[in-house]
Amino acid sequence: MLRLVDFKRCALAALLAGLIPCVPAQTATPPETLQVLHWWTSASERKAANVLASRLAEEGVTWQDAAIPGGAGLGAGKVLRSRVLAGQAPEVTQIIGESIKEWAGIGLLLEFDNVAVAGRWAQVLSPTVYALVQHRGHVVAAPLGVHRINTLFYNRPLLERLGLKPPANWAEFAAMAPRLKAAGAVPLAQSAEPWQVATLFENLVLAEGGPALHRELFVRQSEAALADKRLVLALQRLRTLKAWMSPTVQERPWTDLVRQVQRGEAAMLVMGDWAKGELLESGAVIDGGFGCAPAPGTASYHLYSVDTLTMFASDYTHTDAQQKLARIAVQPAVQAEYNAVKGSVSVRRDADLSKMDACARDSWTAFMQGAAQQAPSLAHRMATDETRKDVIVAEIHRYFLDDKATPADAQQRLGAIFRALRLRGGQKAAAINP
Ligand code: BGC
């Protein structure tokens, strides 16, 4: 089929060459194209995006990729803001967590309640996921998968060679770390990128205080929670864990850390389970080269990040195609295929567990237990809006880098931040994420 732009190009070339001009094919309806802005740039992430793109192509819609590198979407967020300001919003964007409400709040997102009603989203989605994709009672995002941020990846042959089991808590980790170090491996792979430091820290808070303390701190930003002894323990743990990381913790992409563990240079890594997607994509085998377990001390909890696609309404010329994509995203077969590649689990309550690997089954089962076991990830925008997340993450990062900073310093500075945020936005965070 000849697209309009190809036709123009062909006609111009023919004209210049003195040839008979091209004739557009009879069926030359230009295929509908959706530009999709996202931050899936690793091999497995791209493969997962391709699952969606191929299904969309079957429906006559072209997925035009606009992938912006940068783990956790920091680059993508900036590009999105500048494109919207320039009047060039993409038709589809990976916007997740509380950011959905921010963009919907200024009236830029397409509402597609009709798709949700037809697909019975209220009945088939996990209640947490269904709440996430709505704004003021309207559906504004299509859910793709649930990632578990409290996942421990480990090099299985290395642990087995030393007769070690994955640690069930941080005390067990501390007990086995010297042996790993003596065997020449970095016990814990870690990057100094702020979001990756925050990932580890929120895991430590969850281990100490469960979802309740995690929510008090990162959703409600409660000053009372800052005084909690368990927060002090988490801050101390973050400091002492540095002894078991590389001598200089550098800012490295998460994919580098995955490879460190895969090669046995590092023994373990706490990371969202997109790392599983990446390990599988590079040929590693669960319970062969690597294993996954809940992060130490968090076995019954689920620290989640839900991936979602939102649609910019703009002039409403792409509504049909955008709705097709939203519909496709939630279809059982697409859910199964996409999540198997991405490392996340289905957003559906009726997912087929027999098709999942052991890590996915464990994640899905923990998540579906409901809100009491769930903690919304700070690093991945599930707990609070972008600005609040950024300042809290920056403070955790500062504390991590500065070995002279004490837990009391961090508590004080976070207290000042929480007060300032309260002045800025009233009780907004508590109201939108009770
Ligand atoms: C997203 C994942 C992505 C990860 C690493 C998270 O915020 O939810 O889909 O794989 O960041 O970039």
Side-chain angles (χ1 to χ4, degrees):
M1 202 193 307
L2 204 58
R3 291 190 304 134
L4 193 60
V5 50
D6 296 337
F7 171 67
K8 280 187 186 154
R9 235 180 255 138
C10 173
L12 183 66
L15 199 71
L16 292 174
L19 302 170
I20 302 164
C22 311
V23 179
Q26 285 304 304
T27 51
T29 333
E32 177 80 82
T33 296
L34 293 178
Q35 195 179 95
V36 188
L37 192 142
H38 59 83
W39 63 90
W40 296 313
T41 51
S42 78
S44 57
E45 290 174 333
R46 299 203 72 89
K47 194 169 168 191
N50 282 340
V51 170
L52 304 173
S54 321
R55 270 295 291 123
L56 198 59
E58 285 167 24
E59 305 250 347
V61 180
T62 305
W63 168 299
Q64 192 191 330
D65 212 58
I68 313 291
L74 299 188
K78 287 183 188 143
V79 170
L80 175 64
R81 280 188 289 279
S82 65
R83 285 194 53 168
V84 171
L85 285 174
Q88 292 165 354
E91 285 82 40
V92 182
T93 308
Q94 180 189 10
I95 295 180
I96 63 175
E98 291 300 316
S99 304
I100 298 173
K101 296 185 176 69
E102 293 184 73
W103 285 102
I106 46 176
L108 294 180
L109 300 186
L110 186 73
E111 295 172 356
F112 39 92
D113 298 342
N114 53 337
V115 175
V117 170
R120 302 179 61 250
W121 289 14
Q123 289 76 37
V124 300
L125 295 184
S126 117
T128 301
V129 172
Y130 188 52
L132 254 173
V133 298
Q134 294 177 72
H135 179 67
R136 300 210 179 107
H138 294 288
V139 171
V140 291
L144 290 169
V146 182
H147 276 298
R148 191 177 200 181
I149 312 303
N150 57 320
T151 311
L152 179 82
F153 293 93
Y154 56 94
N155 184 302
R156 200 178 162 105
L158 174 63
L159 260 62
E160 275 175 359
R161 187 154 52 80
L162 298 172
L164 299 169
K165 289 209 174 74
N169 52 52
W170 285 107
E172 279 185 27
F173 173 87
M176 64 198 273
R179 293 197 50 204
L180 291 161
K181 200 168 176 176
V186 174
L188 189 63
Q190 180 65 42
S191 162
E193 281 188 350
W195 74 270
Q196 297 195 60
V197 173
T199 298
L200 178 61
F201 182 64
E202 60 176 330
N203 267 283
L204 299 176
V205 168
L206 188 64
E208 290 298 337
L213 181 65
H214 185 281
R215 279 176 194 270
E216 280 302 312
L217 283 170
F218 303 132
V219 177
R220 300 199 181 89
Q221 289 131 34
S222 130
E223 279 187 74
L226 281 178
D228 196 301
K229 283 211 176 60
R230 294 168 300 173
L231 173 65
V232 177
L233 292 175
L235 285 162
Q236 283 169 345
R237 179 80 68 196
L238 185 62
R239 177 73 71 238
T240 56
L241 280 179
K242 270 179 109 173
W244 306 117
M245 299 171 187
S246 302
T248 357
V249 183
Q250 287 168 346
E251 293 214 358
R252 304 174 71 178
W254 64 270
T255 41
D256 274 16
L257 305 189
V258 168
R259 277 187 280 279
Q260 255 191 307
V261 173
Q262 193 173 4
R263 290 196 289 252
E265 294 158 15
M268 290 177 251
L269 166 68
V270 173
M271 181 55 63
D273 46 14
W274 44 87
K276 183 187 75 180
E278 201 61 12
L279 283 159
L280 293 175
E281 178 56 17
S282 67
V285 179
I286 299 182
D287 290 343
F290 76 98
C292 41
T298 68
S300 45
Y301 310 137
H302 198 293
L303 181 57
Y304 66 87
S305 173
V306 180
D307 271 321
T308 40
L309 292 176
T310 59
M311 322 288 170
F312 277 85
S314 306
D315 56 3
Y316 295 97
T317 49
H318 292 83
T319 306
D320 282 355
Q322 289 166 318
Q323 292 188 352
K324 271 184 193 163
L325 179 53
R327 207 176 48 240
I328 287 169
V330 175
Q331 285 168 354
V334 175
Q335 280 284 307
E337 194 187 349
Y338 164 89
N339 282 303
V341 178
K342 186 68 175 62
S344 39
V345 294
S346 175
V347 294
R348 299 183 65 107
R349 298 194 219 180
D350 58 359
D352 183 354
L353 264 85
S354 70
K355 294 215 178 93
M356 296 183 195
D357 60 53
C359 311
R361 261 200 306 278
D362 197 28
S363 165
W364 189 88
T365 310
F367 185 76
M368 292 295 165
Q369 279 177 340
Q373 306 307 114
Q374 298 169 347
S377 167
L378 169 74
H380 298 280
R381 306 175 179 80
M382 301 291 132
T384 193
D385 66 33
E386 192 83 20
T387 311
R388 288 161 191 265
K389 183 255 305 172
D390 282 347
V391 282
I392 299 171
V393 167
E395 184 48 36
I396 297 165
H397 186 235
R398 208 189 75 93
Y399 168 79
F400 175 76
L401 292 185
D402 179 4
D403 287 333
K404 291 200 200 76
T406 63
D409 293 336
Q411 284 169 295
Q412 245 170 37
R413 292 178 61 97
L414 283 169
I417 288 170
F418 285 6
R419 278 191 294 280
L421 290 175
R422 186 147 300 120
L423 288 177
R424 170 186 168 263
Q427 296 292 331
K428 184 175 148 235
I432 55 181
N433 202 340

